[in-house]
Amino acid sequence: MPKYNPSKIEKKWQKYWEKEGLHEVRTRQLRSPFLKTGEGRKNFMLLVEFPYPSGNLHMGHWYAFSLPDVYGRYLRMQGYNVMYPMGFDAFGLPAENAAIQHNTHPKVWTKKNIAQMTKQLKSMGAAFDWSRKVETIDPSYYKWTQWIFLQLYKAGLAYRAETKVNWCPKDKTVLANEQVVAGACDRCGTEVVQKDLTQWMFRITDFKDQLIDDIANIDWPEMTKAAQINWIGRSEGALIEFSLNEPNKAIDVFTTRPDTLFGVTYLVVAPEHPLVDSLKGKIENWDEVKKYIDQAARKTELQRISDVKDKTGVEIKGIFATHPLTDEKVPVWVADYVLAHYGTGAVMAVPAHDERDFDFAKKFNLPIKKVILPPALTHIYQNIESKAAGAPTELRIESECYTEEGELINSGQFNGLSSEEARKKIVEALKERGHGNFQRTYRLHDWILSRQRYWGAPIPMINCPQCGYVPVPEEKLPVKLPPLDDYLPTDEGKSPLAKAEKWLQVKCPKCKGPAQRETDTMDTFVDSSWYYLRYADPINDQEFASKDSIKQWLPVPMYVGGAEHNTMHLLYSRFITKALARLGYLEFNEPFAGRRNHGVILDSTGRAKMSKSKGNTVDPDAEVAQYGADSVRMFLAFMGPYDQGGPWDPKGLIGIHRFINRIWNLFSAHAVTVKDDPSEDLAIEINKYIKELGEDIRDMKFNTAVSSLMKLLNVFEEKSHTLGKPDLETYCLLLAPFAPHVAEEIWMNVLDHKESVHLQDWPKYSEEVIAKESVTIVIQVNGRFRDSIQVQRGLSEEEVKKIVLEREKVKEHIGDREIKKFIFVKDKLTNLVV
Ligand code: ANZ
Ligand code: ZN
């Protein structure tokens, strides 16, 4: 056998697989006589996040796609009919900005990159089903993006309204809240400003409770679930009304802590609160208040939240509120630490128990009244004086603010209750007086989906001077994006599509009068919120996917991707699925039953993320040219736990390359000469690794799986004279998901098979054989090592205990003391506590 030469064998097998249609999931006619049909095999769509066509494939793509490929190949060998689809998320700001930078039209730029990246993706040797490729810029795809928009519009789930928006002055477009990170544009880093604009929105808030509650039923990483729940931000609290010294005027506040009601020493309204303006004539210091409000309007929401310590505000003189239970007078302030768009835009301030209120009260010398006693203090407090006598409460918590729960003090009839009990009782008392009720609030806002940019799917609406907004009739879809040479964004917040004069002018579908098309395009997150549905039926021009194909493939059993999508993309996809389910188009309401996040690849120092902007990238093409795709894949697998990523270690890659060479050499040396029956000496080892490797791949512990392959190779080399052909075959099958090319070369050309290794089943193992293996059990007495025994793997606690108690050394150490506890870790350890 010649030397291992990856560049020679990899291309060859890639061509062969493509010709044979090995990776195409078909239910009808199969091209290859070798292919097993889909019949009787369980369908499994293995989804990865389709890339946007940035230009070249980077190592991160390899990490994101080649390891799920290992998983998919394993499932295939387990008898699943695995679909591993690929596509391009090709509309959107990143693509458009890159095109502008390179002075190329976005369409030309995108198409060129798709061609380049497709070629690179093919070099990975992954089992992508290219016959199902979707591109979001293809009119046959965005026809259905527009169709989905229309269904949501008709159901009242898409609407147009004026709203405060995040505006990126550099990208000259609106951004969703999710696209603003620390006050800056997620795409270009420019500081975002607030503007009032009329925009198209999706009513995602209609599903806010379901989006939280249904999370319990899906198999996702806990951190992703937590991120979504946190993003939706449901707070259980109360709405409390404080009447004012103006007839028929009141301030409603939202609070999560009605138990602190007796600690209210002032109220605060947001600068934008409508009440301020309506009381203009009654406010004694109007000029001062007005000046403050104007100043606040110039800050972004984020600046306002982040000015933590240095709080600003002005008292509204001449206006005061009445405490709903004590009837005390409460001053009213305006301050920008209260946000206009959360809760009611007004808060009851409890400086003794809320940090923000505390800072504010300190700064402006407002009274601080403690009403919650920390549990740790309750005990001391009870001992010092009787609670009933109204003991002083300034007990050592003089200067700090206690924000946790506790026991109520200084709260009249509610004294002595726990925070939890008090919340119920106080709100009930308020309810009786007509001054409050229980209330939930949410942080989630509706999804602003319109963009004032060229490179997106046009929103399929027509604006008629007579009829208002009218949907484009479905049979007229798609509304194609007009070709435009001048596609640059404009400063006035108008979409460049307004420049496509001919395209713009249409007849109103309703009154047939002259009208104009909507010129905004859709956020790319709309495109990507449903692409997995399209994979089920990618060329259907009658439906986004047929009912039957949806039933066959969806919901997605496993979606592998990056943790950066914890909120936006995953939340939007869940919303679109729920909306389509409500409208009767889907029979499930969670798109992704399983989800796993992968980590990121760091540079060789292990300190920084590998990224173009940092100039520390490794070009996969170059590594593949030198070491082969199999080495790169296997090195990535070996790098570390998949959900954590790890540093790129050039030496590690060379090490893996040598390992593959060793495999190659072992097969070259023995394949022809070996006997036909399997090695008896190695039976236990082989059975054990078949089992462990499979379980590791199933759990995406690719690194330990590779290390098992290494250990198994060591034993093979040691006992090579005992090897039989079945042993070599087994090794080749275990290798196949990781190094598909080498495995195929060995399978077909060395072991001389006629049917691809990738059409074989995962080897079977026997628990019985594995159980014959002996293991070393450590014996401790009171936690100290005293002895060890060799026993058969899998012995029960009872059996091991019997053996242990018979040991001389153990008897010696126990003496006549009584055994209090027998700690047992199967196949590993026992510890006798005496
Ligand atoms: C009184 C109080 C006492 C509060 C206390 C907290 C602790 P979450 O949990 O995030 O929903 N709040 C309400 N509306 C606000 C707004 N528009 N801008 C800024 N803060 C606002 O937060 C709810 C709490 O945040 C509410 O409960 C309110 O302060 C404040 F010991 O009311 B609390
Ligand atoms: Zn009309």
Side-chain angles (χ1 to χ4, degrees):
M1 209 163 137
K3 251 185 82 193
Y4 171 47
N5 180 354
S7 58
K8 219 166 166 184
I9 62 169
E10 291 185 354
K11 282 273 156 321
K12 176 180 77 183
W13 290 117
Q14 284 161 16
K15 271 197 200 126
Y16 173 79
W17 298 331
E18 192 163 339
K19 190 184 103 239
E20 296 292 316
L22 210 68
H23 304 145
E24 290 175 25
V25 185
R26 290 150 169 254
T27 33
R28 276 174 251 114
Q29 194 57 52
L30 293 164
R31 239 188 289 172
S32 160
F34 301 138
L35 270 184
K36 294 167 185 148
T37 62
E39 294 304 310
R41 302 192 140 221
K42 199 163 181 276
N43 286 345
F44 194 105
M45 187 198 293
L46 173 60
L47 189 68
V48 288
E49 287 153 358
F50 65 161
Y52 92 85
S54 50
N56 273 302
L57 226 54
H58 53 72
M59 212 42 100
H61 289 118
W62 271 73
Y63 201 48
F65 304 149
S66 68
L67 296 189
D69 184 58
V70 172
Y71 179 79
R73 286 179 181 280
Y74 169 71
L75 288 182
R76 216 167 262 151
M77 293 174 88
Q78 286 287 0
Y80 286 89
N81 188 33
V82 177
M83 180 211 292
Y84 192 28
M86 190 32 71
F88 291 95
D89 188 14
F91 268 140
L93 268 188
E96 183 177 335
N97 284 347
I100 293 172
Q101 244 174 43
H102 290 80
N103 219 346
T104 324
H105 193 277
K107 187 168 178 179
V108 176
W109 166 260
T110 314
K111 288 272 178 202
K112 189 186 102 208
N113 289 347
I114 289 179
Q116 162 77 351
M117 288 170 79
T118 303
K119 208 175 89 202
Q120 292 171 318
L121 281 166
K122 288 187 175 172
S123 78
M124 195 179 279
F128 295 127
D129 181 349
W130 288 104
S131 72
R132 289 177 185 260
K133 181 178 69 171
V134 305
E135 290 175 11
T136 56
I137 53 172
D138 190 333
S140 70
Y141 180 87
Y142 69 71
K143 168 179 177 175
W144 298 105
T145 311
Q146 293 172 335
W147 180 87
I148 290 172
F149 174 91
L150 289 182
Q151 307 316 307
L152 266 61
Y153 176 78
K154 287 174 196 163
L157 292 172
Y159 65 100
R160 204 171 144 80
E162 188 179 331
T163 172
K164 217 177 217 14
V165 298
N166 306 301
W167 175 264
C168 173
K170 178 139 180 271
D171 285 329
K172 293 170 184 162
T173 184
V174 162
L175 300 171
N177 279 336
E178 290 85 342
Q179 291 163 337
V180 180
V181 176
C185 172
D186 181 31
R187 303 297 194 196
C188 72
T190 309
E191 191 171 333
V192 165
V193 296
Q194 306 279 304
K195 270 193 177 185
D196 285 305
L197 286 176
T198 304
Q199 296 292 319
W200 288 99
M201 288 188 265
F202 278 145
R203 217 180 284 284
I204 187 171
T205 54
D206 230 41
F207 295 86
K208 56 200 174 196
D209 282 317
Q210 265 172 279
L211 284 167
I212 288 182
D213 299 341
D214 292 349
I215 277 190
N217 310 324
I218 49 183
D219 173 21
W220 285 26
E222 285 309 317
M223 58 132 25
T224 307
K225 290 182 171 192
Q228 297 227 337
I229 290 172
N230 186 40
W231 185 264
I232 299 164
R234 178 162 77 190
S235 286
E236 312 274 352
L239 213 56
I240 302 178
E241 183 193 68
F242 287 76
S243 44
L244 297 182
N245 59 333
E246 279 299 312
N248 300 324
K249 297 260 183 213
I251 294 177
D252 285 336
V253 302
F254 168 71
T255 177
T256 44
R257 296 293 303 273
D259 52 316
T260 64
L261 182 57
F262 285 75
V264 173
T265 56
Y266 60 100
L267 299 187
V268 192
V269 296
E272 299 87 345
H273 200 290
L275 189 92
V276 183
D277 217 49
S278 77
L279 289 170
K280 202 165 165 170
K282 311 283 175 181
I283 298 178
E284 288 165 10
N285 56 340
W286 173 248
D287 288 348
E288 196 191 355
V289 170
K290 173 82 175 119
K291 193 171 146 219
Y292 180 77
I293 293 174
D294 290 344
Q295 263 170 17
R298 286 196 288 272
K299 291 202 225 166
T300 66
E301 207 166 87
L302 240 122
Q303 279 170 324
R304 286 167 53 171
I305 305 173
S306 47
D307 291 344
V308 230
K309 281 291 156 193
D310 195 24
K311 298 227 160 21
T312 60
V314 174
E315 183 174 0
I316 304 180
K317 300 216 170 100
I319 300 296
F320 60 86
T322 305
H323 192 284
L325 292 183
T326 65
D327 292 335
E328 275 173 68
K329 270 187 176 184
V330 183
V332 180
W333 286 66
V334 54
D336 67 8
Y337 76 94
V338 173
L339 307 174
H341 299 284
Y342 186 66
T344 62
V347 304
M348 58 178 222
V350 186
H353 303 291
D354 180 281
E355 302 264 7
R356 295 159 296 184
D357 302 340
F358 180 78
D359 294 339
F360 193 80
K362 276 277 173 205
K363 176 156 179 190
F364 293 103
N365 259 322
L366 293 158
I368 299 174
K369 183 183 171 195
K370 294 187 175 75
V371 291
I372 305 289
L373 198 61
L377 286 183
T378 312
H379 176 68
I380 307 169
Y381 177 80
Q382 276 168 339
N383 284 342
I384 299 172
E385 309 201 42
S386 142
K387 269 189 288 181
T393 58
E394 304 316 308
L395 210 62
R396 73 164 94 168
I397 38 176
E398 191 55 54
S399 59
E400 42 183 276
C401 165
Y402 176 70
T403 59
E404 307 291 303
E405 312 207 330
E407 181 181 317
L408 266 72
I409 50 173
N410 287 331
S411 297
Q413 58 180 114
F414 304 100
N415 280 344
L417 294 181
S418 70
S419 286
E420 198 184 335
E421 294 165 324
R423 274 200 288 275
K424 282 195 207 98
K425 293 257 161 76
I426 289 180
V427 177
E428 267 153 22
L430 287 166
K431 224 167 136 180
E432 239 162 64
R433 291 183 158 215
H435 282 310
N437 210 339
F438 297 99
Q439 161 95 30
R440 278 176 169 180
T441 49
Y442 299 81
R443 191 160 287 129
L444 185 71
H445 296 294
D446 276 340
W447 171 11
I448 302 170
L449 70 103
S450 41
R451 296 289 178 272
Q452 293 69 45
R453 291 291 295 244
Y454 173 67
W455 197 233
I459 294 174
M461 297 293 292
I462 290 166
N463 190 2
C464 167
Q466 303 303 318
C467 318
Y469 275 97
V470 182
V472 171
E474 277 174 28
E475 64 277 10
K476 292 271 170 63
L477 296 181
V479 176
K480 282 201 188 160
L481 186 63
L484 259 188
D485 288 331
D486 179 13
Y487 55 82
L488 292 179
T490 65
D491 277 318
E492 324 80 68
K494 220 174 167 25
S495 163
L497 291 190
K499 295 182 240 176
E501 255 309 308
K502 255 183 85 188
W503 175 89
L504 190 65
Q505 310 299 344
V506 280
K507 266 203 230 146
C508 166
K510 218 168 171 183
C511 71
K512 311 291 175 216
Q516 293 198 330
R517 288 188 189 281
E518 168 62 58
T519 56
D520 283 357
T521 52
M522 287 191 242
D523 181 4
T524 27
F525 278 108
V526 183
D527 307 329
S528 59
S529 64
W530 75 278
Y531 74 109
Y532 46 93
L533 301 174
R534 189 66 174 169
Y535 279 143
D537 196 8
I539 45 177
N540 193 333
D541 62 356
Q542 300 301 309
E543 293 163 289
F544 66 88
S546 72
K547 283 243 168 211
D548 181 49
S549 68
I550 291 173
K551 214 182 218 117
Q552 283 187 41
W553 290 106
L554 292 154
V556 173
M558 182 50 74
Y559 191 10
V560 182
E564 70 274 19
H565 292 297
N566 274 349
T567 48
M568 293 190 268
H569 163 60
L570 290 175
L571 195 64
Y572 294 150
S573 301
R574 295 180 66 214
F575 158 66
I576 291 290
T577 296
K578 286 179 189 307
L580 290 174
R582 181 188 285 183
L583 302 178
Y585 294 107
L586 298 176
E587 281 170 26
F588 50 89
N589 57 31
E590 284 294 337
F592 315 126
R595 166 88 186 177
R596 297 291 178 270
N597 291 345
H598 59 70
V600 293
I601 301 187
L602 307 172
D603 66 6
S604 52
T605 69
R607 265 174 261 132
K609 188 178 161 180
M610 202 186 256
S611 82
K612 222 168 169 178
S613 60
K614 294 207 181 75
N616 58 4
T617 53
V618 175
D619 174 16
D621 286 356
E623 305 299 319
V624 169
Q626 187 164 2
Y627 300 106
D630 285 338
S631 291
V632 176
R633 290 168 62 108
M634 222 190 243
F635 171 64
L636 290 170
F638 192 52
M639 211 168 64
Y642 191 44
D643 58 350
Q644 285 165 37
W648 178 264
D649 172 14
K651 285 208 202 88
L653 178 59
I654 296 170
I656 290 286
H657 188 62
R658 281 206 197 108
F659 169 57
I660 296 182
N661 262 302
R662 268 171 59 203
I663 299 174
W664 182 269
N665 293 338
L666 180 93
F667 278 88
S668 331
H670 297 282
V672 199
T673 53
V674 288
K675 54 197 174 59
D676 283 338
D677 38 29
S679 162
E680 271 172 36
D681 290 17
L682 294 177
I684 294 175
E685 220 84 25
I686 291 173
N687 276 273
K688 188 178 88 176
Y689 283 119
I690 295 173
K691 178 175 183 211
E692 283 185 11
L693 248 150
E695 286 171 356
D696 280 345
I697 299 176
R698 180 199 65 196
D699 298 340
M700 298 199 191
K701 292 182 183 156
F702 303 115
N703 54 333
T704 49
V706 172
S707 101
S708 292
L709 280 173
M710 291 172 171
K711 286 187 212 153
L712 190 58
L713 185 69
N714 288 343
V715 253
F716 269 40
E717 284 175 342
E718 267 166 41
K719 305 237 166 128
S720 60
H721 56 280
T722 72
L723 289 175
K725 194 171 180 209
D727 305 321
L728 293 178
E729 285 178 342
T730 299
Y731 196 91
C732 187
L733 292 167
L734 300 183
L735 178 70
F738 293 91
H741 310 89
V742 179
E744 188 77 304
E745 178 72 21
I746 290 173
W747 187 259
M748 301 284 255
N749 289 344
V750 182
L751 299 171
D752 221 12
H753 286 282
K754 296 279 164 290
E755 184 187 90
S756 167
V757 69
H758 302 295
L759 295 172
Q760 310 307 313
D761 289 339
W762 188 254
K764 302 262 176 300
Y765 63 86
S766 147
E767 287 284 3
E768 242 168 83
V769 175
I770 296 174
K772 284 192 196 136
E773 188 193 26
S774 65
V775 288
T776 307
I777 295 189
V778 167
I779 305 173
Q780 299 178 335
V781 178
N782 284 347
R784 298 181 70 182
F785 174 84
R786 295 303 183 196
D787 198 2
S788 70
I789 46 170
Q790 291 274 328
V791 296
Q792 204 183 328
R793 179 183 284 280
L795 283 198
S796 72
E797 177 166 349
E798 275 313 299
E799 291 164 311
V800 171
K801 192 171 178 178
K802 229 168 110 193
I803 301 170
V804 167
L805 292 180
E806 290 297 307
R807 304 283 293 185
E808 280 310 317
K809 275 195 193 150
V810 175
K811 283 185 190 163
E812 215 170 274
H813 279 287
I814 297 180
D816 47 14
R817 289 178 292 178
E818 183 200 344
I819 299 171
K820 288 208 181 115
K821 223 174 169 186
F822 186 83
I823 297 165
F824 175 73
V825 183
K826 196 170 182 176
D827 295 337
K828 290 214 169 79
L829 171 139
T830 63
N831 181 14
L832 291 84
V833 184
V834 296

